[in-house]
Amino acid sequence: MDYIRIKELLDQPKTGETVTVKGWVKTRRGSKQVNFIALNDGSTIHNLQIVAETEKFGEELIKKITTGACLSVTGEVVESKGSGQAIEILGENIDVLGESDPEKFPLQPKKHSLEFLREKAHLRVRTTTFGAIYRIRHAMIFAVHKFFNDRGFFNVHTPILTSSDAEGAGEMFRVTTLDPKNPPLTEDGEVDWKEDFFEKQANLTVSGQLEGELSALALGNIYTFGPTFRAENSNTTRHLAEFWMIEPEMAFHDLKDNAELAEDFLKYLVNYALENCEDDLNFLAKREEDENKNKPANERPALSLLERLKMVRDNDFAFCTYTEAIDILKNSKPNKKKKFNYPVDEWGVDMQSEHEKYLVEKHFKKPVIVTDYPKDIKAFYMRVNDDNKTVAAMDILFPGIGEIVGGSQREERMDILTSRMKDFNIEEEHMQWYLDTRRFGSCVHSGFGLGFERLMLFVTGMTNIRDVIPFPRTPGNCEF
């Protein structure tokens, strides 16, 4: 490679040496005699200052050095005389690899709203904020694989195209090659799916869990990490139509083992971010602090971004059952004073985000693992408890986020599983492949799911899930 990355140069300054760097111009300032160019190549949040004398390079070339332009710069590395950087490069040769018309390039050196940047998602990674988010996203992807690999888990690729609905919710994207204007019909006038590519209805997956269970009951401990899709017509700051899920499945693990692994996993990821993404996190923490200055006091988070991350890493998670959580909520001040948008008045209600945040931020003041939910509000594959009212489920609740992990001990008993499937109107004939794991060598097993973008929201402090994935897919939006 004929050039050096800026991060490497800043980490190990080669003072006195001549080097070549390449990157994109953040800003150019200066006088008629000398110009100071802030260059960034994406390897770090920090820019490298290039000192370029106008007389040496000529005004015509200097005019082409505008925000967004791509440069190759060769020069001597020297100690910087100015503040804000330890070293700089005295430019000896500058090649403009790609020009950027300042009248047309939309990301000029000023503060742009996040909404505006979502419309420019193909360019927003060039901003300081999104550069930091992308680097942290990579670090978290790497940490996920490292955590499981170091513990002897096997990564399994589960299908993206599927004919099953793992959640039983029915909010799936259909995949078809049939002519939408003139599909083949049965004698009853219904679409004849036997004429489709797969000779049956096919969808984009909502989860790799069911297929993951198949592998866990042969390999022991596995995890999936792939894209999932939900055709939920929701335009909130917490929902995406395309998102990434991490779903480990473990043979011989009960609910307690499952919860302990999930807690270890989350602490590992947060600690990895703190240890390996310091500069990016410090920038995002300062960004959040500045944003919160304009908010009313009651809308500001009680803890800063770095404090929230350390709170998760340094504290044992609290445990409580769903029943205990409902009692806490029923007797809470917000509930008694009717401040909750969804009042908690009886056992069996599905907890909302406001309830989850109250438990974490006001009552326990640390992450909470809530277990043993009513079976009527949870999925068919969760193990029914002895009381026949609850299932061996768990949700992990985080500050500012609410639910970040959902999991359960899986129902390993054939008779109870098929009974639950009937309750959910899931036809056995389409799920024989899944039921075979209960017919042949069934055992206690568990698993959980972590929405990767939910994790990214927590780690970066961003408040809209559309800002932590490169190209968000939401109702009415499938650009790029």
Side-chain angles (χ1 to χ4, degrees), residues 91-293:
E92 296 171 8
N93 185 74
I94 297 177
D95 289 327
V96 179
L97 303 179
E99 296 183 29
S100 178
D101 186 342
E103 298 297 321
K104 296 179 180 179
F105 184 57
L107 305 183
Q108 293 303 314
K110 64 177 183 178
K111 187 173 182 179
H112 297 286
S113 71
L114 293 174
E115 185 63 42
F116 172 80
L117 292 174
R118 285 178 209 127
E119 296 172 2
K120 307 294 180 186
H122 58 303
L123 293 173
R124 66 178 178 171
V125 67
R126 296 200 193 183
T127 66
T128 305
T129 297
F130 284 92
I133 291 169
Y134 273 55
R135 284 186 293 271
I136 293 172
R137 188 177 172 101
H138 160 76
M140 291 296 90
I141 291 169
F142 180 81
V144 167
H145 289 296
K146 181 169 173 54
F147 175 87
F148 287 118
N149 184 70
D150 290 353
R151 284 157 183 76
F153 280 66
F154 300 103
N155 181 224
V156 173
H157 289 169
T158 53
I160 293 173
L161 292 170
T162 179
S163 59
S164 68
D165 179 0
E167 300 294 328
E171 297 168 335
M172 304 182 76
F173 287 102
R174 182 175 294 152
V175 177
T176 180
T177 59
L178 296 180
D179 184 349
K181 293 183 178 179
N182 188 31
L185 302 177
T186 64
E187 292 180 359
D188 298 329
E190 302 292 328
V191 174
D192 188 356
W193 297 108
K194 289 183 179 180
E195 296 295 319
D196 206 354
F197 186 90
F198 294 107
E199 299 181 3
K200 63 171 70 174
Q201 287 194 56
N203 308 286
L204 296 178
T205 185
V206 297
S207 169
Q209 179 211 311
L210 301 187
E211 293 86 355
E213 285 186 52
L214 312 182
S215 297
L217 295 182
L219 298 174
N221 295 338
I222 68 95
Y223 71 104
T224 75
F225 190 173
T228 51
F229 308 86
R230 196 69 60 90
E232 185 177 353
N233 190 18
S234 177
N235 266 307
T236 75
T237 58
R238 293 160 52 90
H239 289 90
L240 290 167
E242 176 186 87
F243 52 99
W244 289 71
M245 285 291 294
I246 302 146
E247 297 176 292
E249 292 289 329
M250 297 78 63
F252 318 118
H253 279 55
D254 62 15
L255 184 65
K256 182 174 179 292
D257 301 323
N258 199 29
E260 288 175 354
L261 179 73
E263 179 174 349
D264 289 346
F265 180 45
L266 289 167
K267 287 183 174 180
Y268 179 92
L269 295 177
V270 168
N271 185 63
Y272 191 92
L274 286 166
E275 289 188 349
N276 294 277
C277 306
E278 182 180 3
D279 291 343
D280 289 323
L281 286 176
N282 285 337
F283 170 81
L284 292 173
K286 179 67 166 59
R287 179 195 170 280
E288 181 188 77
E289 182 184 336
D290 292 342
E291 290 281 320
N292 288 331
K293 286 177 182 177

